[in-house]
Amino acid sequence: WQADPEIWGRHAPVLFPIVGRLKNDQYTYEGKSYTMKQHGFARNNEFELVSQAEDQLHFRLLPNDDIRKMYPFDFQMDIMYQLFQEEHEHGVKITYQIHNMGETTMPFSIGGHPGFSCPMVAGEELTYYDVVFEEKENLERHLLEGGLYNGETSPLLENEQIIPITPTLFDQDALVVHSPKSDTVSLVSRKSGHKLTVDISAFDFLGIWAKPGAPFVCIEPWLGLADYTDATGDIMEKTGVHLLLAGKRHTSSYAFKFANPS
């Protein structure tokens, strides 16, 4: 997706150290309140280029004064992008590495938010496309209210694999599911056979989103969730939060690949 600012002015933001929205855009840690906007600060900060090769880029983010006002933890965040090709497919592997450089346990979540142009080829329409899970799934959609989960769900897939893309699919915000069985989710054209596949196997949650009627679809692997409407606000108790011990590293990866019809 080419980040048309008139529609959605981002390409593939990185969600860190939260995924989604906090209740009242705030959390507490050790009795102190901190303000942080939706999806955290990583997507709005410039990363340092650590290294570059023909098929790989390595970027790093370290806390600055503005970040410390939102997140009082010492960390190093590295992102590696690796191009790959196998037979008739090509793609990108994205690896996140979070290093807790402090002396206390660090709470964090992380997630991808890549947007993909849809339709993928000229002459097609959005409604020619399906979201296809690798396996038949029984999944519920976790419903959002003002960016927070209200505890309600609705059926999404019942021993099925396919979600057709319709003009109204995202009228109630993102489709959010917990713990799908499938290792991959694909965006597939019924007309041309063009297919994009995202490997979500290392992640606990999945978001699928687009602005209603917009010519893109985001397939988002997440380690974390927005707050629930009844959240206490304590970041150490947040649903989906990961607690990284002092001096330890967390590494997770996902990949997307494109296949042209043979």
Side-chain angles (χ1 to χ4, degrees), residues 34-260:
Y34 298 86
T35 298
M36 192 186 304
K37 296 295 186 179
Q38 183 177 22
H39 295 322
F41 50 74
R43 64 179 183 162
N44 296 322
N45 276 270
E46 186 171 348
F47 283 59
E48 172 194 359
L49 178 63
V50 177
S51 65
Q52 179 175 354
E54 182 178 342
D55 61 350
Q56 187 181 69
L57 293 168
H58 178 181
F59 294 98
R60 177 170 294 160
L61 179 67
L62 296 170
N64 56 35
D65 290 343
D66 289 337
I67 287 174
R68 292 184 189 280
K69 292 175 185 177
M70 295 181 273
Y71 190 65
F73 302 95
D74 289 321
F75 70 90
Q76 177 179 291
M77 180 182 187
D78 291 87
I79 306 179
M80 285 71 76
Y81 296 87
Q82 176 74 54
L83 297 176
F84 65 86
Q85 186 165 349
E86 47 191 39
E87 296 184 358
H88 302 295
E89 299 177 325
H90 58 277
V92 185
K93 180 180 179 182
I94 298 97
T95 300
Y96 301 133
Q97 186 172 88
I98 311 300
H99 183 191
N100 181 355
M101 302 177 69
E103 298 180 354
T104 60
T105 298
M106 186 178 86
F108 79 96
S109 298
I110 193 165
H113 196 320
F116 303 101
S117 293
C118 185
M120 298 182 194
V121 295
E124 294 190 334
E125 298 178 9
L126 193 65
T127 52
Y128 295 171
Y129 284 77
D130 297 318
V131 174
V132 182
F133 286 77
E134 181 184 27
E135 299 186 40
K136 290 185 177 180
E137 300 274 2
N138 290 291
L139 292 173
E140 294 182 319
R141 174 184 185 178
H142 292 253
L143 300 179
L144 290 155
E145 183 179 317
L148 306 177
Y149 297 104
N150 60 17
E152 298 180 6
T153 62
S154 63
L156 183 63
L157 291 174
E158 297 180 354
N159 197 33
E160 299 168 297
Q161 292 173 269
I162 297 174
I163 303 173
I165 302 229
T166 67
T168 60
L169 182 62
F170 302 109
D171 281 358
Q172 293 179 286
D173 212 319
L175 309 181
V176 179
V177 300
H178 295 192
S179 304
K181 293 186 300 181
S182 299
D183 288 339
T184 65
V185 179
S186 299
L187 185 62
V188 184
S189 168
R190 295 189 301 276
K191 182 178 180 181
S192 66
H194 280 76
K195 181 168 76 169
L196 157 80
T197 299
V198 183
D199 182 343
I200 60 169
S201 57
F203 293 79
D204 301 326
F205 310 102
L206 175 69
I208 305 169
W209 174 80
K211 285 193 173 182
F216 71 89
V217 175
C218 294
I219 299 177
E220 309 174 36
W222 296 340
L223 287 176
L225 285 173
D227 274 349
Y228 281 78
T229 52
D230 61 355
T232 66
D234 186 339
I235 191 68
M236 305 300 280
E237 301 175 352
K238 179 176 168 56
T239 301
V241 77
H242 291 252
L243 301 178
L244 189 60
L245 298 178
K248 298 298 184 180
R249 287 181 170 86
H250 163 89
T251 302
S252 53
S253 300
Y254 75 97
F256 52 85
K257 58 186 179 181
F258 301 88
N260 295 331

Side-chain angles (χ1 to χ4, degrees), residues 3-57:
D4 182 344
E6 297 298 318
I7 302 174
W8 183 56
R10 297 184 186 266
H11 298 277
V14 178
L15 316 183
F16 175 85
I18 58 171
V19 172
R21 175 156 283 151
L22 298 169
K23 186 176 180 180
N24 300 318
D25 291 329
Q26 293 184 323
Y27 71 90
T28 59
Y29 173 70
E30 294 187 340
K32 185 175 179 180
S33 180
Y34 298 86
T35 298
M36 192 186 304
K37 296 295 186 179
Q38 183 177 22
H39 295 322
F41 50 74
R43 64 179 183 162
N44 296 322
N45 276 270
E46 186 171 348
F47 283 59
E48 172 194 359
L49 178 63
V50 177
S51 65
Q52 179 175 354
E54 182 178 342
D55 61 350
Q56 187 181 69
L57 293 168

